[in-house]
Amino acid sequence: MDAIGPAGTWLIAALLLGIAELAVPGVFLVFLAIAAAVTGVVVFALPDLPVAAQLGAFAVWSAVTVLIGKRWYRDYPVEGGDPMLNDRSARLVGQVVVVETEIAGGHGRVLVGDGSWPARGADAAVGARVRVAAVVDGEVVVEAL
């Protein structure tokens, strides 16, 4: 790697870390890539900088960029497209479902999509349409429409 020199090595490391961030997104390697790029520029400006100082500079810039990134994501949070994406029970609230097994004495079953869920709520006959008000302990709480 003598042909590219120490500054080139840091810049290649920055490029590889950036590619790794794209391949395995985790919003962390990008900060290390920035630190490696800054270190490469510093080493380009100071070519006789000892390796220990280069590693120290990389460590300091890594800490600085991670702290800046942490602050950035705190101040400008990334909004998700669907906050209930992985919460199936929360997604059920508000849906209109059909009573599969009569709700008598406060308990029965309802059809939700292609599945059957235990339900509780006011008495309702088979085939009645009810609205999901909540999901508690894997059981849908329904209310009359």
Side-chain angles (χ1 to χ4, degrees), residues 5-8 10 38-51 53-54 57 61:
W10 283 108
V38 170
T39 303
V41 170
V42 168
V43 172
F44 183 74
L46 304 169
D48 294 331
L49 197 63
V51 173
Q54 292 177 32
W61 280 110

Side-chain angles (χ1 to χ4, degrees), residues 37-110:
V38 170
T39 303
V41 170
V42 168
V43 172
F44 183 74
L46 304 169
D48 294 331
L49 197 63
V51 173
Q54 292 177 32
L55 293 174
F58 176 69
V60 169
W61 280 110
S62 293
V64 168
T65 57
V66 167
L67 290 173
I68 289 171
K70 184 177 176 183
R71 173 83 186 255
W72 176 270
Y73 285 111
R74 187 191 71 213
D75 292 346
Y76 305 100
V78 176
E79 298 293 329
D82 185 357
M84 293 183 282
L85 178 65
N86 294 319
D87 190 354
R88 182 171 182 209
S89 59
R91 294 172 73 95
L92 295 178
V93 175
Q95 284 190 19
V96 176
V97 296
V98 177
V99 176
E100 176 187 34
T101 303
E102 177 183 19
I103 300 176
H107 295 282
R109 293 190 75 80
V110 294

